[in-house]
Amino acid sequence: MSNENKTIHEFDFSLICEYFSNVERQGPGSPEATIKALSFIDNLTSESRIVDLGCGTGGQTMTLAQNAPGQIMGIDLFPDFISIFNRNAHALGLSNRVQGIVGSMLEPLPFERETLDLIWTEGSIYNIGFERGVNEWRQYLKTNGYIAVSEASWFTEKCPDEIYNFWMAHYPEIDTIPNKVAQIQRAGYVPVATFILPENCWTEHYFAPCSRIQEAFLQKHSGDQTVKELIAGQRHEMALYQKYKEFYGYVFYIGKKI
Ligand code: SAH
């Protein structure tokens, strides 16, 4: 039974991976938002060591590399994403200082304590949970090093049941902005900046490219129930965003280790 489940699980994973390999981003964000977050971080030099956790195919990592000095390592669980990441870095002439490796953020990271200048993580920290991530990763940062993380957050104290229940089922750690800022502070960082990702980070940069590939993906896997469910889930998420976007979104949090 457990083997059967494992096979189905892995099959799902490879389909999700194939689907998201076709788009530049695997979560909400934009080059402008990445550059804005970067503008709050000072003291980076060509010696700086930067890590992008849950980097996906590296859309934001390449933006980071084009706008900040230093050595950048991307880490993601999916080998296919890392292959695309390294291909992109090479194509952009960045492979001398941008490298992707396969790894899990749920394991201890492959770094010594207090050796990193910046930990970047866009739309990925939910895999470990915001509070656990900001606490556990702090040890790898030098004093005065930064963490920059985008995270799903509530804009209001209360919201309609439908969207509340959706998030409780998918990521119950979603919380209000003041609560997330307090978690950053409690973890041993000065909260340096907080800003809400503009709507186009969802619509133009995430949902629209996904919408463009959905029909072709459905046709390629026609009759496949898992694919139908995957796409239906994505479309549901898009519809919910349109309906409830004043209640939640992604927020960039930038903290400085003290
Ligand atoms: N940062 C990218 C991808 C966000 S999607 C962007 O903004 O476009 C979330 C990413 O987390 C996916 O690429 C997924 O493969 C990765 N991921 C999931 N579980 C992980 C884990 N345990 N360790 C590292 N990466 C993980």
Side-chain angles (χ1 to χ4, degrees), residues 62-91:
M62 304 307 146
T63 302
L64 203 55
Q66 285 163 332
N67 292 277
Q71 293 292 323
I72 307 181
M73 180 175 283
I75 300 183
D76 200 279
L77 192 60
F78 288 151
D80 288 357
F81 286 174
I82 290 300
S83 301
I84 296 171
F85 179 108
N86 284 323
R87 219 165 45 229
N88 289 345
H90 183 75

PDB file of all heavy atoms in Angstrom, residues 62-91:
ATOM      1  N   MET A  62      18.218  35.092 -11.294  1.00  0.00           N
ATOM      2  CA  MET A  62      18.950  35.771 -12.377  1.00  0.00           C
ATOM      3  C   MET A  62      18.804  37.292 -12.236  1.00  0.00           C
ATOM      4  O   MET A  62      19.760  38.043 -12.458  1.00  0.00           O
ATOM      5  CB  MET A  62      18.459  35.308 -13.764  1.00  0.00           C
ATOM      6  CG  MET A  62      18.535  33.794 -13.976  1.00  0.00           C
ATOM      7  SD  MET A  62      20.157  33.049 -13.648  1.00  0.00           S
ATOM      8  CE  MET A  62      19.673  31.440 -12.993  1.00  0.00           C
ATOM      9  N   THR A  63      17.614  37.741 -11.834  1.00  0.00           N
ATOM     10  CA  THR A  63      17.420  39.177 -11.593  1.00  0.00           C
ATOM     11  C   THR A  63      18.353  39.644 -10.479  1.00  0.00           C
ATOM     12  O   THR A  63      19.001  40.698 -10.586  1.00  0.00           O
ATOM     13  CB  THR A  63      15.951  39.464 -11.196  1.00  0.00           C
ATOM     14  OG1 THR A  63      15.106  38.999 -12.238  1.00  0.00           O
ATOM     15  CG2 THR A  63      15.710  40.942 -10.957  1.00  0.00           C
ATOM     16  N   LEU A  64      18.414  38.834  -9.451  1.00  0.00           N
ATOM     17  CA  LEU A  64      19.290  39.134  -8.313  1.00  0.00           C
ATOM     18  C   LEU A  64      20.745  39.250  -8.791  1.00  0.00           C
ATOM     19  O   LEU A  64      21.451  40.219  -8.479  1.00  0.00           O
ATOM     20  CB  LEU A  64      19.154  37.955  -7.342  1.00  0.00           C
ATOM     21  CG  LEU A  64      19.468  38.093  -5.884  1.00  0.00           C
ATOM     22  CD1 LEU A  64      18.673  39.230  -5.282  1.00  0.00           C
ATOM     23  CD2 LEU A  64      19.114  36.771  -5.163  1.00  0.00           C
ATOM     24  N   ALA A  65      21.158  38.287  -9.574  1.00  0.00           N
ATOM     25  CA  ALA A  65      22.551  38.262 -10.047  1.00  0.00           C
ATOM     26  C   ALA A  65      22.865  39.455 -10.943  1.00  0.00           C
ATOM     27  O   ALA A  65      23.988  39.968 -10.929  1.00  0.00           O
ATOM     28  CB  ALA A  65      22.810  36.958 -10.793  1.00  0.00           C
ATOM     29  N   GLN A  66      21.864  39.890 -11.696  1.00  0.00           N
ATOM     30  CA  GLN A  66      22.105  41.015 -12.606  1.00  0.00           C
ATOM     31  C   GLN A  66      22.103  42.352 -11.873  1.00  0.00           C
ATOM     32  O   GLN A  66      22.472  43.370 -12.430  1.00  0.00           O
ATOM     33  CB  GLN A  66      21.035  41.020 -13.711  1.00  0.00           C
ATOM     34  CG  GLN A  66      21.305  39.929 -14.739  1.00  0.00           C
ATOM     35  CD  GLN A  66      20.103  39.608 -15.602  1.00  0.00           C
ATOM     36  OE1 GLN A  66      18.957  39.767 -15.175  1.00  0.00           O
ATOM     37  NE2 GLN A  66      20.341  39.148 -16.819  1.00  0.00           N
ATOM     38  N   ASN A  67      21.668  42.334 -10.611  1.00  0.00           N
ATOM     39  CA  ASN A  67      21.562  43.591  -9.868  1.00  0.00           C
ATOM     40  C   ASN A  67      22.334  43.626  -8.562  1.00  0.00           C
ATOM     41  O   ASN A  67      22.230  44.597  -7.815  1.00  0.00           O
ATOM     42  CB  ASN A  67      20.079  43.902  -9.605  1.00  0.00           C
ATOM     43  CG  ASN A  67      19.333  44.224 -10.881  1.00  0.00           C
ATOM     44  OD1 ASN A  67      19.368  45.351 -11.361  1.00  0.00           O
ATOM     45  ND2 ASN A  67      18.700  43.220 -11.484  1.00  0.00           N
ATOM     46  N   ALA A  68      23.054  42.554  -8.261  1.00  0.00           N
ATOM     47  CA  ALA A  68      23.843  42.523  -7.020  1.00  0.00           C
ATOM     48  C   ALA A  68      25.148  41.787  -7.284  1.00  0.00           C
ATOM     49  O   ALA A  68      25.177  40.841  -8.078  1.00  0.00           O
ATOM     50  CB  ALA A  68      23.065  41.813  -5.918  1.00  0.00           C
ATOM     51  N   PRO A  69      26.215  42.231  -6.602  1.00  0.00           N
ATOM     52  CA  PRO A  69      27.475  41.501  -6.757  1.00  0.00           C
ATOM     53  C   PRO A  69      27.475  40.260  -5.864  1.00  0.00           C
ATOM     54  O   PRO A  69      26.552  40.071  -5.070  1.00  0.00           O
ATOM     55  CB  PRO A  69      28.508  42.512  -6.263  1.00  0.00           C
ATOM     56  CG  PRO A  69      27.774  43.316  -5.234  1.00  0.00           C
ATOM     57  CD  PRO A  69      26.336  43.364  -5.667  1.00  0.00           C
ATOM     58  N   GLY A  70      28.484  39.426  -5.993  1.00  0.00           N
ATOM     59  CA  GLY A  70      28.634  38.292  -5.083  1.00  0.00           C
ATOM     60  C   GLY A  70      28.400  36.947  -5.745  1.00  0.00           C
ATOM     61  O   GLY A  70      27.975  36.863  -6.896  1.00  0.00           O
ATOM     62  N   GLN A  71      28.710  35.909  -4.970  1.00  0.00           N
ATOM     63  CA  GLN A  71      28.504  34.526  -5.421  1.00  0.00           C
ATOM     64  C   GLN A  71      27.100  34.099  -4.998  1.00  0.00           C
ATOM     65  O   GLN A  71      26.735  34.256  -3.831  1.00  0.00           O
ATOM     66  CB  GLN A  71      29.530  33.602  -4.752  1.00  0.00           C
ATOM     67  CG  GLN A  71      30.964  33.845  -5.187  1.00  0.00           C
ATOM     68  CD  GLN A  71      31.202  33.455  -6.645  1.00  0.00           C
ATOM     69  OE1 GLN A  71      30.647  32.479  -7.131  1.00  0.00           O
ATOM     70  NE2 GLN A  71      32.033  34.226  -7.336  1.00  0.00           N
ATOM     71  N   ILE A  72      26.345  33.561  -5.918  1.00  0.00           N
ATOM     72  CA  ILE A  72      24.957  33.202  -5.608  1.00  0.00           C
ATOM     73  C   ILE A  72      24.729  31.709  -5.831  1.00  0.00           C
ATOM     74  O   ILE A  72      25.029  31.188  -6.919  1.00  0.00           O
ATOM     75  CB  ILE A  72      23.968  34.011  -6.479  1.00  0.00           C
ATOM     76  CG1 ILE A  72      24.253  35.510  -6.352  1.00  0.00           C
ATOM     77  CG2 ILE A  72      22.529  33.682  -6.096  1.00  0.00           C
ATOM     78  CD1 ILE A  72      23.327  36.400  -7.143  1.00  0.00           C
ATOM     79  N   MET A  73      24.203  31.058  -4.808  1.00  0.00           N
ATOM     80  CA  MET A  73      23.857  29.650  -4.961  1.00  0.00           C
ATOM     81  C   MET A  73      22.351  29.474  -4.834  1.00  0.00           C
ATOM     82  O   MET A  73      21.739  29.943  -3.876  1.00  0.00           O
ATOM     83  CB  MET A  73      24.564  28.814  -3.896  1.00  0.00           C
ATOM     84  CG  MET A  73      24.240  27.344  -4.025  1.00  0.00           C
ATOM     85  SD  MET A  73      25.168  26.365  -2.864  1.00  0.00           S
ATOM     86  CE  MET A  73      26.746  26.349  -3.682  1.00  0.00           C
ATOM     87  N   GLY A  74      21.752  28.805  -5.813  1.00  0.00           N
ATOM     88  CA  GLY A  74      20.321  28.481  -5.755  1.00  0.00           C
ATOM     89  C   GLY A  74      20.169  27.040  -5.295  1.00  0.00           C
ATOM     90  O   GLY A  74      20.933  26.172  -5.724  1.00  0.00           O
ATOM     91  N   ILE A  75      19.198  26.800  -4.424  1.00  0.00           N
ATOM     92  CA  ILE A  75      18.944  25.434  -3.952  1.00  0.00           C
ATOM     93  C   ILE A  75      17.468  25.119  -4.161  1.00  0.00           C
ATOM     94  O   ILE A  75      16.594  25.907  -3.780  1.00  0.00           O
ATOM     95  CB  ILE A  75      19.295  25.278  -2.454  1.00  0.00           C
ATOM     96  CG1 ILE A  75      20.776  25.588  -2.219  1.00  0.00           C
ATOM     97  CG2 ILE A  75      18.944  23.872  -1.956  1.00  0.00           C
ATOM     98  CD1 ILE A  75      21.246  25.404  -0.780  1.00  0.00           C
ATOM     99  N   ASP A  76      17.199  23.974  -4.789  1.00  0.00           N
ATOM    100  CA  ASP A  76      15.813  23.542  -4.970  1.00  0.00           C
ATOM    101  C   ASP A  76      15.753  22.024  -4.903  1.00  0.00           C
ATOM    102  O   ASP A  76      16.720  21.336  -5.228  1.00  0.00           O
ATOM    103  CB  ASP A  76      15.241  24.037  -6.304  1.00  0.00           C
ATOM    104  CG  ASP A  76      13.717  24.043  -6.299  1.00  0.00           C
ATOM    105  OD1 ASP A  76      13.110  22.972  -6.515  1.00  0.00           O
ATOM    106  OD2 ASP A  76      13.123  25.125  -6.048  1.00  0.00           O
ATOM    107  N   LEU A  77      14.599  21.547  -4.491  1.00  0.00           N
ATOM    108  CA  LEU A  77      14.387  20.110  -4.331  1.00  0.00           C
ATOM    109  C   LEU A  77      14.335  19.384  -5.680  1.00  0.00           C
ATOM    110  O   LEU A  77      14.700  18.222  -5.777  1.00  0.00           O
ATOM    111  CB  LEU A  77      13.049  19.910  -3.590  1.00  0.00           C
ATOM    112  CG  LEU A  77      12.719  18.544  -3.047  1.00  0.00           C
ATOM    113  CD1 LEU A  77      13.767  18.079  -2.034  1.00  0.00           C
ATOM    114  CD2 LEU A  77      11.347  18.578  -2.374  1.00  0.00           C
ATOM    115  N   PHE A  78      13.863  20.052  -6.738  1.00  0.00           N
ATOM    116  CA  PHE A  78      13.604  19.364  -8.000  1.00  0.00           C
ATOM    117  C   PHE A  78      14.785  19.471  -8.966  1.00  0.00           C
ATOM    118  O   PHE A  78      15.107  20.568  -9.447  1.00  0.00           O
ATOM    119  CB  PHE A  78      12.352  19.930  -8.676  1.00  0.00           C
ATOM    120  CG  PHE A  78      11.074  19.554  -7.987  1.00  0.00           C
ATOM    121  CD1 PHE A  78       9.977  20.385  -8.039  1.00  0.00           C
ATOM    122  CD2 PHE A  78      10.957  18.353  -7.283  1.00  0.00           C
ATOM    123  CE1 PHE A  78       8.782  20.047  -7.404  1.00  0.00           C
ATOM    124  CE2 PHE A  78       9.779  18.007  -6.649  1.00  0.00           C
ATOM    125  CZ  PHE A  78       8.688  18.857  -6.709  1.00  0.00           C
ATOM    126  N   PRO A  79      15.397  18.338  -9.286  1.00  0.00           N
ATOM    127  CA  PRO A  79      16.553  18.354 -10.188  1.00  0.00           C
ATOM    128  C   PRO A  79      16.248  19.000 -11.546  1.00  0.00           C
ATOM    129  O   PRO A  79      17.095  19.694 -12.105  1.00  0.00           O
ATOM    130  CB  PRO A  79      16.885  16.860 -10.369  1.00  0.00           C
ATOM    131  CG  PRO A  79      16.330  16.197  -9.153  1.00  0.00           C
ATOM    132  CD  PRO A  79      15.126  16.992  -8.753  1.00  0.00           C
ATOM    133  N   ASP A  80      15.022  18.797 -12.061  1.00  0.00           N
ATOM    134  CA  ASP A  80      14.699  19.393 -13.378  1.00  0.00           C
ATOM    135  C   ASP A  80      14.750  20.921 -13.319  1.00  0.00           C
ATOM    136  O   ASP A  80      15.170  21.582 -14.269  1.00  0.00           O
ATOM    137  CB  ASP A  80      13.303  18.970 -13.838  1.00  0.00           C
ATOM    138  CG  ASP A  80      13.274  17.512 -14.247  1.00  0.00           C
ATOM    139  OD1 ASP A  80      14.346  16.875 -14.211  1.00  0.00           O
ATOM    140  OD2 ASP A  80      12.180  17.017 -14.584  1.00  0.00           O
ATOM    141  N   PHE A  81      14.281  21.477 -12.208  1.00  0.00           N
ATOM    142  CA  PHE A  81      14.327  22.936 -12.062  1.00  0.00           C
ATOM    143  C   PHE A  81      15.782  23.410 -12.029  1.00  0.00           C
ATOM    144  O   PHE A  81      16.131  24.440 -12.613  1.00  0.00           O
ATOM    145  CB  PHE A  81      13.624  23.386 -10.772  1.00  0.00           C
ATOM    146  CG  PHE A  81      12.117  23.302 -10.807  1.00  0.00           C
ATOM    147  CD1 PHE A  81      11.362  23.557  -9.670  1.00  0.00           C
ATOM    148  CD2 PHE A  81      11.437  22.987 -11.981  1.00  0.00           C
ATOM    149  CE1 PHE A  81       9.971  23.492  -9.694  1.00  0.00           C
ATOM    150  CE2 PHE A  81      10.040  22.909 -12.014  1.00  0.00           C
ATOM    151  CZ  PHE A  81       9.316  23.162 -10.852  1.00  0.00           C
ATOM    152  N   ILE A  82      16.615  22.650 -11.318  1.00  0.00           N
ATOM    153  CA  ILE A  82      18.023  23.041 -11.189  1.00  0.00           C
ATOM    154  C   ILE A  82      18.741  22.937 -12.547  1.00  0.00           C
ATOM    155  O   ILE A  82      19.588  23.777 -12.873  1.00  0.00           O
ATOM    156  CB  ILE A  82      18.717  22.192 -10.096  1.00  0.00           C
ATOM    157  CG1 ILE A  82      18.163  22.595  -8.710  1.00  0.00           C
ATOM    158  CG2 ILE A  82      20.237  22.335 -10.127  1.00  0.00           C
ATOM    159  CD1 ILE A  82      18.371  24.058  -8.312  1.00  0.00           C
ATOM    160  N   SER A  83      18.367  21.969 -13.370  1.00  0.00           N
ATOM    161  CA  SER A  83      18.966  21.884 -14.722  1.00  0.00           C
ATOM    162  C   SER A  83      18.628  23.134 -15.526  1.00  0.00           C
ATOM    163  O   SER A  83      19.488  23.724 -16.187  1.00  0.00           O
ATOM    164  CB  SER A  83      18.426  20.679 -15.496  1.00  0.00           C
ATOM    165  OG  SER A  83      18.711  19.526 -14.800  1.00  0.00           O
ATOM    166  N   ILE A  84      17.352  23.528 -15.458  1.00  0.00           N
ATOM    167  CA  ILE A  84      16.932  24.734 -16.201  1.00  0.00           C
ATOM    168  C   ILE A  84      17.645  25.960 -15.623  1.00  0.00           C
ATOM    169  O   ILE A  84      18.131  26.821 -16.369  1.00  0.00           O
ATOM    170  CB  ILE A  84      15.390  24.899 -16.124  1.00  0.00           C
ATOM    171  CG1 ILE A  84      14.713  23.717 -16.826  1.00  0.00           C
ATOM    172  CG2 ILE A  84      14.952  26.221 -16.737  1.00  0.00           C
ATOM    173  CD1 ILE A  84      13.205  23.660 -16.629  1.00  0.00           C
ATOM    174  N   PHE A  85      17.718  26.016 -14.309  1.00  0.00           N
ATOM    175  CA  PHE A  85      18.398  27.119 -13.596  1.00  0.00           C
ATOM    176  C   PHE A  85      19.828  27.264 -14.138  1.00  0.00           C
ATOM    177  O   PHE A  85      20.248  28.360 -14.541  1.00  0.00           O
ATOM    178  CB  PHE A  85      18.416  26.778 -12.104  1.00  0.00           C
ATOM    179  CG  PHE A  85      19.100  27.770 -11.209  1.00  0.00           C
ATOM    180  CD1 PHE A  85      18.365  28.582 -10.352  1.00  0.00           C
ATOM    181  CD2 PHE A  85      20.491  27.872 -11.164  1.00  0.00           C
ATOM    182  CE1 PHE A  85      18.993  29.474  -9.489  1.00  0.00           C
ATOM    183  CE2 PHE A  85      21.124  28.764 -10.313  1.00  0.00           C
ATOM    184  CZ  PHE A  85      20.379  29.572  -9.475  1.00  0.00           C
ATOM    185  N   ASN A  86      20.566  26.156 -14.155  1.00  0.00           N
ATOM    186  CA  ASN A  86      21.974  26.245 -14.570  1.00  0.00           C
ATOM    187  C   ASN A  86      22.109  26.567 -16.060  1.00  0.00           C
ATOM    188  O   ASN A  86      23.041  27.267 -16.466  1.00  0.00           O
ATOM    189  CB  ASN A  86      22.720  24.958 -14.183  1.00  0.00           C
ATOM    190  CG  ASN A  86      23.030  24.935 -12.686  1.00  0.00           C
ATOM    191  OD1 ASN A  86      23.340  25.963 -12.091  1.00  0.00           O
ATOM    192  ND2 ASN A  86      22.927  23.771 -12.068  1.00  0.00           N
ATOM    193  N   ARG A  87      21.156  26.090 -16.853  1.00  0.00           N
ATOM    194  CA  ARG A  87      21.151  26.432 -18.279  1.00  0.00           C
ATOM    195  C   ARG A  87      20.934  27.939 -18.454  1.00  0.00           C
ATOM    196  O   ARG A  87      21.601  28.602 -19.239  1.00  0.00           O
ATOM    197  CB  ARG A  87      20.030  25.645 -18.965  1.00  0.00           C
ATOM    198  CG  ARG A  87      20.430  25.140 -20.314  1.00  0.00           C
ATOM    199  CD  ARG A  87      19.526  24.081 -20.900  1.00  0.00           C
ATOM    200  NE  ARG A  87      18.111  24.307 -20.809  1.00  0.00           N
ATOM    201  CZ  ARG A  87      17.246  23.381 -20.361  1.00  0.00           C
ATOM    202  NH1 ARG A  87      17.687  22.213 -19.957  1.00  0.00           N
ATOM    203  NH2 ARG A  87      15.957  23.636 -20.325  1.00  0.00           N
ATOM    204  N   ASN A  88      19.975  28.483 -17.677  1.00  0.00           N
ATOM    205  CA  ASN A  88      19.695  29.930 -17.747  1.00  0.00           C
ATOM    206  C   ASN A  88      20.905  30.750 -17.321  1.00  0.00           C
ATOM    207  O   ASN A  88      21.246  31.761 -17.959  1.00  0.00           O
ATOM    208  CB  ASN A  88      18.508  30.304 -16.855  1.00  0.00           C
ATOM    209  CG  ASN A  88      17.190  29.800 -17.404  1.00  0.00           C
ATOM    210  OD1 ASN A  88      17.110  29.420 -18.573  1.00  0.00           O
ATOM    211  ND2 ASN A  88      16.168  29.777 -16.571  1.00  0.00           N
ATOM    212  N   ALA A  89      21.541  30.320 -16.232  1.00  0.00           N
ATOM    213  CA  ALA A  89      22.716  31.054 -15.731  1.00  0.00           C
ATOM    214  C   ALA A  89      23.797  31.073 -16.812  1.00  0.00           C
ATOM    215  O   ALA A  89      24.428  32.111 -17.061  1.00  0.00           O
ATOM    216  CB  ALA A  89      23.232  30.401 -14.454  1.00  0.00           C
ATOM    217  N   HIS A  90      23.976  29.934 -17.462  1.00  0.00           N
ATOM    218  CA  HIS A  90      24.987  29.837 -18.519  1.00  0.00           C
ATOM    219  C   HIS A  90      24.631  30.765 -19.692  1.00  0.00           C
ATOM    220  O   HIS A  90      25.467  31.541 -20.166  1.00  0.00           O
ATOM    221  CB  HIS A  90      25.097  28.384 -18.968  1.00  0.00           C
ATOM    222  CG  HIS A  90      26.158  28.175 -19.982  1.00  0.00           C
ATOM    223  ND1 HIS A  90      27.502  28.171 -19.656  1.00  0.00           N
ATOM    224  CD2 HIS A  90      26.087  28.002 -21.328  1.00  0.00           C
ATOM    225  CE1 HIS A  90      28.207  28.000 -20.752  1.00  0.00           C
ATOM    226  NE2 HIS A  90      27.384  27.898 -21.788  1.00  0.00           N
ATOM    227  N   ALA A  91      23.357  30.705 -20.109  1.00  0.00           N
ATOM    228  CA  ALA A  91      22.912  31.503 -21.267  1.00  0.00           C
ATOM    229  C   ALA A  91      23.074  32.999 -21.007  1.00  0.00           C
ATOM    230  O   ALA A  91      23.336  33.779 -21.922  1.00  0.00           O
ATOM    231  CB  ALA A  91      21.456  31.180 -21.585  1.00  0.00           C
TER     232      ALA A  91
END
